[in-house]
Every structure is written in structure tokens, then in C-alpha cells.
Amino acid sequence: MVSSILLQQSINCFIYNYQLGKNLKHGLAATKPNLMQKCTCSRRIGGIRARAAFDTIETATSPTAFPFFQTDSQQEVTPASKLELADPEFYKMGFVRSMRAYGVEFREGPDGFGVYASKDIEPTKRAKVVMEIPLELMLTISQKTPWMFFPDIIPIGDPIFDVINSTNPETGWDLRLACLLLYAFDHDKNFWQLYGDFLPSAEECTSLLLATEDDLMELHDENLASTMRKERSRVLDFWIKNWHSNMPLKVKRLARDPERFVWAVSMAQTRHINFRIRIGSLIQNANMFAPYADMLNHSCKPNCFFHWRFRDRMFEVMTNAGQRIKKGEEMTVNYMSGQRNTTLMQRYGLSSPDNPWDVLPFSGNAKIHLDSFLSVFNIFGSHQDYYHNAKLGNEENSFVDGAVIAAARTLPTWSEKDTPPIPSQEIKAVKSLQQECQQILSQYSTTSKQDQHILDSTPEMSCTREAAIKYRLHRKLFVKKTFAVYVIFSFDSFRLLYIWMNESLHALYE
Ligand SMILES: C[S@@+](CC[C@H](N)C(=O)[O-])C[C@H]1O[C@@H](n2cnc3c(N)ncnc32)[C@H](O)[C@@H]1O
């Protein structure tokens, strides 16, 4: 009987500590003073982008007591009304060419230019159009030969056509788009001569194609660094092959130095869109630059998507059906669904600490019970479509985000019909997986705190360096979140153990 009481007390103590941890999280956060974090971004003045600093405010109510619980999405950022609006010329030059934007505005945010709701958008059954971009404003090239362009700005016999023709149809889409963009800049009275002023410069673009060797070292990911070195060589080799002294001036003047071409390819990689459209009488997959729509930033939980309107060859940005968007909220699309941060980084120079598709490389044999795990965090759906049902949990608890969904996907689990989990084994498995998390973290030469400090204390850092440091920081935050997920899960296993032992002991002493 005494042992039963002792056991009960110690387990109660555990549950109390878990609750305390939760309360502590809010309590400590409430005592923490507001933190003004300097961020830098780019903005265009009179058609030219210039670097500007603005503040990201982390409010006292954000869950900051356990820093690893905090992700970008939980940080309260500067309200849109305080972000600088785009130069009116930016709207005007599109408007006179039939581009339409409804209830949205373009502003300078922490990730460069972004699109923000200029009024509340109420949820409706059907998706709503917020932007229309006519095909005539876009730069489009078919994915396969025979090359078809729209608008057809390249005349037959122009030497740039031979350069485009020399690309590999399967892999050279970015080289082709870069040639097309550079050609459009050089083409008399082309819209892109105006729009080009609003594209990020080489200093403002986060593409790792533009990264220095030192920036690549900051990734702390040798595989990604080596992929980017190869990517850069592929682009430079293409420039060397096509921009030699014997080339006609018409081609040479498009990219007089290799860095200009690398920049154009980085524009293609970070801003292109693939769509199936009708070109001439053929339906083709095409790679395109869609002005204005290319100002939408990425989110793993987007509120908008792209759509091609066949009827009148209009490219549309639409809000999700049933989506409520408040005035000032950023409008986002998902650039690459189902991809890890490494892939997003390789193509766009961006990463997210709560990407639901990130993966951890567990190597041991430890496994935890899948259904118990999902039920602790109110996660439902099939493996490919896991979602969190917030209504079942504590509404205020913002702990469950994409990183927890990613943990659910990436964790080594077991599940056998009708076989319930054995709490002691679950706790053992959790311990071993936590050790693996710690091992992953120990391989980094900096801590997440140090990374954050570097970012906060170096406002003049280049965009590529900042993106590289954020990438490794996001990785660490993800590992830490997974570790925290285990802590919560093992508390639940303790709770099960407690219930089971309590019932057994009661049965024994009745
Ligand atoms: C298609 S552009 C979006 C518009 C861009 N912000 C601009 O200023 O022109 C894609 C680039 O925006 C930035 N970006 C978009 N979404 C982001 C995100 N979620 N986090 C960080 N950077 C992002 C990255 O630099 C990326 O390469």
C-alpha cells in the first residue's frame, strides 16, 4: 500500500511538473521584456532597390520561455501598415497593360517584397481571384522542343535562339529562362525593361547561386554546399560556352560578365512558374516569369494558389476556398509542396523552421507507437496528408505546427492492429530517439542561440549569408522541437503507465 502511494506521488509529481512546464512557458514569457529585433530588407526608391532596416517586434505574449518552441510563424512581426508600400509606378506600369489586383497591395517585408491584403477577405465557398496577369506580360517558353515563346519576341535567325537551342530540354529550363529575361531587358519598349527595376539585385537575392564560398560554409551542410558549387559551375560553363569573344554583339551585350548571367539564372530559379498552357494551337508545359504574381512569398500553410485561365489566357492568383484573410495579412503560395528545407534552399534560398516535410535521419532501432503519438498531438489524416485538429486541443497552445507534423512523418514508429503500446517500452524508445536528436545537434559548431545572436548583431550581413545561417538555425529548431515533442509524448506514456499501475494496484488491494 505504501509503495502504491509513493509511486502515485512520484508520478503525480511528474504530471505536475509537466503542467508547471506549460504554465512556466506562459509565465516566463510574460515577464520577458519586449524584444526589438533588427531586420534588414530591400526596398525600391524611384525604381531602384535600396537596403532598409525595420523592426520585428517579438511581443511579450509569444511563447518564448522555451526558445526552441518558438518558430518564425509564432513571431509577431511588424504590422503590414508599417511596411513600406511599393512605388505607385509599380502598379501603374502593370495596370495600363491590363494587370489587375483586387484587395491586395505590395509592400517591403522581412523577406523582400511581399503581397498583403489591403482589406478583409471573407471566406467564400469558391476561391476568389485577387490578381490577373495577361499572358502578354509574362515571359514564357515551352518546356520541350520545338521551342515556343510567348510573347514571341525572338525573331527567326536571332543568335540567342541558337544559344537557347543548345540547352538540354530536360535540365536547362533555368538557362533558357535566363536568356529570355536578358533578351527582354534588351528588347526595345519591352515591359520587362520597367519591371526589371523591381527585381532584387544580386545583393538582394537569396539564391545560393550567388553565394560566396564563405556563405556556403555557413550552411553547415556539405551536401547542399557541394550541390550549389556544381550548380554554379553548370551556369558558368554555359556562359563561357556562349559568351566568348566570337559571339555576335547582340548576344554578348546581354550578359557582358558571368555574374550578370548567374544573376539572371538565379531570377529564373527563384521566380519561375511551371504551367500547362496553350501556346499557339498546342497545349504545352511551359516555364514562365509571371510579373506581380512573382512577388508572393512562400509559406508551408499558404492562403493563395496560382491558376491558369485557359479561356482568355490569364494567369490568376486566387485565395483558397473558405479562406479568411485579415487586412494586413501576408498573402502566400506554396512554392514546392512536399519538399524538405534542403530543396527549398537549393532552389529559392529559403527555409522554414516548421516545414511539415522536413526529415530527420534516425539510425537506431527505437520506434514509438504511431497511433498514441498522433492522438497525443491531435494529428489526423493519412501519412501524406497529416493535419492538426486544433479544436480538440487547447486553442491557446501554439505548440503544434508544421514541425510536429514533420516529426509525425519522420519518426520511426510501429503500429500493429489490436496491440496496445507498453508504456515502459515507449519511454525507452523515446529516450533513445532523444539521444539521437542530441547527437545531431552536437555535430554543429554553433548553437541555435549563437546563430540567432549572429543574425541579430550583424544587420549589414549579405542576403545569402543570412539565408545560410537561417537554414542551419531552422534545422536546429526543428531537431529541438522534435526533442520537445518526445518530452510531451513521454509524459503521456507516464500518464498511461500511471493509470495502468494504479488500476493494477487497486485490483490487487481490493
Ligand atoms: C518569388 S520571389 C518572392 C518575392 C521576393 N520576396 C521579392 O522581394 O522579390 C522568391 C524569393 O523571395 C524570398 N522568400 C519568399 N518566401 C520566403 C520565405 N517564406 N522565407 C524567406 N524568404 C522568402 C526568397 O528570397 C525567395 O528566393
Side-chain angles (χ1 to χ4, degrees):
M1 187 68 185
V2 174
S3 62
S4 158
I5 293 165
L6 275 179
L7 181 72
Q8 198 161 338
Q9 276 177 350
S10 63
I11 292 171
N12 275 342
C13 181
F14 247 114
I15 292 170
Y16 170 75
N17 281 338
Y18 171 45
Q19 287 303 335
L20 186 71
K22 272 186 170 176
N23 297 339
L24 210 67
K25 192 167 91 173
H26 297 290
L28 267 187
T31 59
K32 198 175 174 218
N34 278 2
L35 217 137
M36 301 295 281
Q37 189 191 350
K38 280 273 178 225
C39 284
T40 56
C41 81
S42 52
R43 95 193 136 101
R44 302 160 180 88
I45 304 166
I48 300 160
R49 281 185 168 215
R51 299 278 285 176
F54 69 92
D55 297 321
T56 300
I57 305 158
E58 189 191 303
T59 64
T61 51
S62 65
T64 50
F66 297 147
F68 48 84
F69 283 176
Q70 192 193 347
T71 63
D72 274 3
S73 56
Q74 288 168 340
Q75 253 189 17
E76 212 159 294
V77 291
T78 313
S81 57
K82 294 212 171 140
L83 302 176
E84 191 146 347
L85 269 171
D87 188 318
E89 187 56 31
F90 182 65
Y91 295 88
K92 213 171 115 193
M93 67 196 202
F95 195 78
V96 295
R97 291 169 177 84
S98 302
M99 184 285 288
R100 293 289 176 267
Y102 310 102
V104 300
E105 54 196 15
F106 301 84
R107 288 181 183 269
E108 294 286 348
D111 301 320
F113 242 48
V115 180
Y116 295 82
S118 61
K119 57 177 192 185
D120 288 343
I121 298 178
E122 295 305 325
T124 46
K125 271 191 189 164
R126 300 180 68 175
K128 262 189 196 162
V129 178
V130 287
M131 254 193 238
E132 290 174 325
I133 299 113
L135 182 61
E136 285 69 19
L137 278 197
M138 295 161 46
L139 290 177
T140 307
I141 182 166
S142 57
Q143 253 174 24
K144 297 216 162 75
T145 49
W147 306 125
M148 298 179 93
F149 308 95
F150 212 96
D152 198 357
I153 51 174
I154 301 187
I156 294 169
D158 194 288
I160 195 70
F161 184 82
D162 295 332
V163 177
I164 288 178
N165 210 21
S166 72
T167 57
N168 180 334
E170 300 295 326
T171 55
W173 60 269
D174 50 353
L175 305 174
R176 288 193 287 279
L177 270 184
C179 291
L180 201 55
L181 180 67
L182 292 170
Y183 187 85
F185 288 155
D186 194 51
H187 195 255
D188 202 22
K189 297 205 180 95
N190 188 280
F191 164 75
W192 284 81
Q193 288 181 335
L194 303 173
Y195 194 76
D197 283 345
F198 294 89
L199 293 176
S201 67
E203 290 72 41
E204 293 161 333
C205 180
T206 57
S207 167
L208 291 183
L209 280 180
L210 298 159
T212 62
E213 185 52 35
D214 284 349
D215 295 343
L216 294 180
M217 299 302 284
E218 297 287 2
L219 291 166
H220 292 187
D221 180 339
E222 193 34 47
N223 286 342
L224 178 56
S226 137
T227 306
M228 291 320 301
R229 277 183 211 112
K230 283 186 204 142
E231 274 282 279
R232 196 175 150 82
S233 318
R234 174 180 70 92
V235 176
L236 288 175
D237 288 349
F238 185 79
W239 183 84
I240 291 167
K241 193 174 132 215
N242 293 292
W243 268 264
H244 52 78
S245 53
N246 296 337
M247 275 309 249
L249 182 65
K250 266 183 173 183
V251 171
K252 269 198 279 187
R253 69 174 185 226
L254 300 185
R256 288 195 184 273
D257 59 84
E259 285 313 315
R260 175 77 175 155
F261 190 69
V262 176
W263 170 82
V265 176
S266 75
M267 287 301 105
Q269 292 203 351
T270 57
R271 312 181 83 83
H272 88 284
I273 292 158
N274 287 337
F275 252 88
R276 209 171 152 70
I277 65 162
R278 190 191 309 248
I279 304 182
S281 57
L282 286 176
I283 298 209
Q284 284 240 25
N285 280 327
N287 294 110
M288 37 173 95
F289 278 112
Y292 301 98
D294 67 352
M295 293 299 176
L296 279 125
N297 286 323
H298 162 87
S299 168
C300 300
K301 278 169 82 181
N303 46 24
C304 294
F305 66 96
F306 293 142
H307 176 247
W308 174 250
R309 204 161 74 203
F310 265 92
R311 185 165 36 92
D312 51 357
R313 304 194 300 188
M314 197 67 91
F315 189 80
E316 297 177 316
V317 179
M318 303 184 93
T319 58
N320 297 336
Q323 179 89 50
R324 179 187 302 281
I325 305 176
K326 288 205 188 115
K327 180 179 172 176
E329 215 175 290
E330 182 163 14
M331 326 229 358
T332 52
V333 287
N334 193 337
Y335 291 174
M336 280 181 145
S337 184
Q339 297 296 334
R340 301 172 52 181
N341 273 348
T342 314
T343 313
L344 284 169
M345 200 61 195
Q346 193 180 318
R347 178 69 59 80
Y348 298 98
L350 69 88
S351 58
S352 159
D354 47 21
N355 179 351
W357 293 98
D358 241 3
V359 173
L360 284 178
F362 291 107
S363 54
N365 296 325
K367 287 185 168 67
I368 58 169
H369 191 261
L370 178 64
D371 294 342
S372 319
F373 181 85
L374 297 180
S375 83
V376 167
F377 295 102
N378 298 326
I379 295 172
F380 295 86
S382 60
H383 188 264
Q384 290 303 304
D385 306 301
Y386 279 148
Y387 67 94
H388 170 232
N389 189 341
K391 285 192 184 128
L392 288 179
N394 175 1
E395 291 280 349
E396 281 178 25
N397 188 354
S398 54
F399 179 79
V400 181
D401 60 16
V404 181
I405 304 283
R409 279 210 186 88
T410 195
L411 286 174
T413 52
W414 67 277
S415 181
E416 267 164 46
K417 224 173 164 230
D418 302 331
T419 314
I422 302 166
S424 58
Q425 279 185 14
E426 293 299 305
I427 291 163
K428 210 170 136 198
V430 159
K431 223 176 142 192
S432 146
L433 293 171
Q434 277 181 329
Q435 274 165 2
E436 285 211 48
C437 285
Q438 274 168 327
Q439 236 166 27
I440 296 172
L441 288 174
S442 68
Q443 283 159 9
Y444 287 96
S445 56
T446 56
T447 64
S448 47
K449 235 181 171 177
Q450 285 166 333
D451 291 343
Q452 192 60 61
H453 178 72
I454 297 168
L455 289 169
D456 293 345
S457 59
T458 331
E460 70 286 357
M461 186 186 292
S462 74
C463 288
T464 40
R465 178 75 55 97
E466 188 178 326
I469 296 176
K470 277 188 178 169
Y471 169 74
R472 70 177 195 230
L473 168 64
H474 290 166
R475 184 75 178 152
K476 287 170 208 166
L477 291 177
F478 174 49
V479 179
K480 286 186 170 194
K481 185 109 187 198
T482 310
F483 188 96
V485 157
Y486 289 139
V487 175
I488 294 175
F489 178 69
S490 56
F491 274 128
D492 209 74
S493 297
F494 268 117
R495 190 176 57 80
L496 285 181
L497 187 63
Y498 165 71
I499 293 167
W500 172 76
M501 289 181 108
N502 211 12
E503 280 172 1
S504 312
L505 288 168
H506 271 287
L508 193 68
Y509 286 96
E510 249 170 22

